[in-house]
Amino acid sequence: MSNEIHVLTNGQIIDALDPEPRSGNIFVQSGRIIDISFQESDLQRADYIFDLKGKYVTPGLWDVHTHIGKGIPDHEAKEEMLSQRTIRAGINCREALKLGITSLRVVGEKEFIDVAWRNFFNSGAILGPDLYTCGWFITTTAGHFLKSSCALEVDGVTEYRRVIREQMKHGVDFIKLNLTGGVMGPSWDKMPNTFPMDDEMKAAFDLCSQRGFKVVAHAGGKDGIIKAVNYGAHTLEHGYMLDDECVELLAASNTFFVPTLSLTHMNRGTTYADNDFEHKWTEANPIDEEYRLRAIDAAGGHAEGFRKAIEAGVKIACGSDLDLPFGALLEVAMMVKCGMTAHQAITAATLTSAEVCLVDDQYGTLEPGKYADIVVLNANPLEDVNNFRDLNMVFKKGHLVPLESQPVFF
């Protein structure tokens, strides 16, 4: 990587550190921010200057609940070759990067496609987002997410231990455990129901703790939410049925909440879309009528629990559970619709999501020493978070991302 110093000047900096825009010259070298200065004379140090007058500069966005091969439900998953899904997953990641989504956590993908792409992007051979991986989605027989082809059905303590160790052996970063039903699935996949038995859950969490792996817990129903938090889940995914008891427990814990509001709200159909962008997305992503009705039924309680979590000070990160590449853009807007301020939503989609992935010392804010994952916008996202769609430039570890190009090798 070049040792040249690039500087981004005249832009207004917005990140989790300050609820108001601030001025500053951002100096970047070898992929990292090396300084933020306020003196025009400092610009003499730069080899190249990006004049961002009238622009707004934020950290790259995160989506910490994705399935990079496709989305939910994946009607084609059982009819395609593994190579097709693998190629599509990489393209999806690249397309997300072009929208300013510079980091993704993958919480269920078949045959360790996520691990393979993480390693390839990390090699530096091709420009892509950072990936944080879980491998397979671990559920029970007659569990959740079965249509995706990304779920492993396991039963009994011995099988849980073996399958979790297989994920570890293949190099995942986190372990994804399914505790309850969800919005989308067969009639027996009911959201309030908990699927693993207590001995299975205890064995799974104990093993992850012993080996130092944090658990990503899918839990929609109250019983599963309470068990996820009590067993020490690192993140609670969905939380569709959060009530006062759940929120109080969550606020007192070290568990992060990844609400995936878009999964319920964006799958209700075009009549619920609030703008042209949402309308086009829902038209392009039709859903089975049964699932659409289940999303409508769940959305109100989902939003209510989210608002209670905000008020209680729960740590909330940004994860969409929608098809790439647009998920994070929809989710950050949905967080504001459902009760967050714009600054809270930006914090959730940057710093808190970096904390979820255990890399907040390297990402999530615009500070010296951190990687230069930077988004440049034409309009102020604090005035309207939909301005994240009014993109000017994206930098990934200091590299300017070609927004209209095919994959770039360097």
Side-chain angles (χ1 to χ4, degrees):
M1 185 176 289
S2 171
N3 286 323
E4 288 185 344
I5 296 175
H6 295 177
V7 63
L8 283 66
T9 187
N10 290 328
Q12 293 293 298
I13 299 170
I14 297 171
D15 65 7
L17 300 178
D18 194 327
E20 297 295 332
R22 62 190 189 277
S23 300
N25 304 309
I26 303 173
F27 288 80
V28 176
Q29 184 180 39
S30 300
R32 292 184 183 266
I33 299 170
I34 60 169
D35 191 18
I36 296 181
S37 78
F38 306 94
Q39 303 297 325
E40 187 173 344
S41 59
D42 290 340
L43 299 181
Q44 298 174 8
R45 298 191 271 152
D47 296 292
Y48 190 87
I49 296 174
F50 293 90
D51 188 349
L52 305 181
K53 185 176 181 180
K55 310 300 182 187
Y56 296 83
V57 185
T58 77
L61 295 180
W62 291 62
D63 190 336
V64 296
H65 193 119
T66 66
H67 305 277
I68 59 175
K70 199 156 185 178
I72 308 173
D74 190 345
H75 299 290
E76 302 170 358
K78 297 185 186 240
E79 301 173 6
E80 65 181 353
M81 293 183 293
L82 179 63
S83 55
Q84 290 175 295
R85 187 179 183 95
T86 302
I87 293 167
R88 186 175 65 239
I91 293 171
N92 288 344
C93 291
R94 287 270 313 170
E95 292 304 304
L97 179 62
K98 292 178 184 179
L99 295 176
I101 304 162
T102 56
S103 298
L104 302 166
R105 189 180 61 160
V106 191
V107 294
E109 188 51 70
K110 69 187 300 181
E111 298 295 350
F112 306 102
I113 290 172
D114 53 344
V115 175
W117 276 110
R118 178 201 66 192
N119 294 345
F120 189 45
F121 290 144
N122 287 351
S123 75
I126 187 172
L127 193 60
D130 285 308
L131 299 184
Y132 301 87
T133 63
C134 293
W136 290 91
F137 178 98
I138 302 172
T139 188
T140 63
T141 298
H144 182 63
F145 202 41
L146 301 184
K147 281 190 174 183
S148 69
S149 85
C150 295
L152 284 181
E153 296 175 90
V154 301
D155 300 287
V157 167
T158 300
E159 280 197 32
Y160 263 91
R161 287 172 175 161
R162 179 188 61 79
V163 167
I164 289 171
R165 288 178 177 131
E166 283 287 332
Q167 311 310 298
M168 296 173 181
K169 183 175 76 173
H170 282 85
V172 302
D173 301 300
F174 300 94
I175 301 296
K176 177 68 177 288
L177 297 178
N178 171 227
L179 271 59
T180 76
V183 172
M184 300 177 190
S187 59
W188 42 261
D189 181 0
K190 291 182 170 57
M191 187 190 302
N193 293 353
T194 301
F195 295 159
M197 302 299 289
D198 285 340
D199 63 336
E200 293 171 325
M201 271 190 281
K202 185 177 187 305
F205 277 92
D206 283 352
L207 174 56
C208 291
S209 177
Q210 179 195 63
R211 299 294 293 270
F213 280 78
K214 295 188 179 296
V215 172
V216 178
H218 168 115
K222 179 176 178 176
D223 179 69
I225 292 169
I226 290 172
K227 286 177 176 175
V229 177
N230 283 339
Y231 276 118
H234 179 56
T235 59
L236 170 70
E237 310 296 308
H238 308 301
Y240 302 120
M241 302 179 74
L242 278 181
D243 63 8
D244 292 340
E245 180 185 359
C246 294
V247 169
E248 183 178 358
L249 184 67
L250 193 54
S253 75
N254 292 319
T255 302
F256 291 85
F257 180 32
V258 183
T260 67
L261 294 165
S262 295
L263 183 65
T264 52
H265 289 73
M266 288 303 302
N267 282 305
R268 295 176 296 173
T270 55
T271 57
Y272 289 87
D274 289 340
N275 53 57
D276 287 343
F277 182 70
E278 290 184 0
H279 195 275
K280 289 178 182 177
W281 188 93
T282 54
E283 282 189 328
N285 295 271
I287 189 167
D288 292 348
E289 182 64 9
E290 178 188 353
Y291 296 163
R292 190 184 75 84
L293 294 176
R294 287 170 68 166
I296 291 171
D297 185 60
H302 197 186
E304 182 181 358
F306 174 72
R307 285 190 288 270
K308 290 179 178 180
I310 297 169
E311 293 169 3
V314 171
K315 298 173 292 184
I316 300 175
C318 177
S320 70
D321 207 359
L322 297 180
D323 288 11
L324 294 178
F326 299 107
L329 301 180
L330 291 161
E331 183 69 12
V332 73
M334 197 62 65
M335 286 179 157
V336 173
K337 287 185 190 180
C338 291
M340 277 187 165
T341 66
H343 188 254
Q344 285 175 321
I346 292 168
T347 299
T350 55
L351 179 58
T352 310
S353 291
E355 290 173 346
V356 159
C357 293
L358 311 176
V359 290
D360 52 295
D361 60 332
Q362 303 290 322
Y363 299 92
T365 55
L366 300 178
E367 296 180 85
K370 292 192 174 184
Y371 281 111
D373 282 12
I374 297 171
V375 171
V376 180
L377 304 172
N378 293 316
N380 187 350
L382 291 173
E383 295 177 355
D384 183 353
V385 290
N386 289 307
N387 287 332
F388 274 107
R389 303 201 303 267
D390 191 0
L391 194 63
N392 185 273
M393 286 189 284
V394 177
F395 294 86
K396 178 62 186 173
K397 292 183 177 176
H399 292 284
L400 182 61
V401 177
L403 301 185
E404 303 299 330
S405 75
Q406 297 298 314
V408 173
F409 291 83
F410 51 85

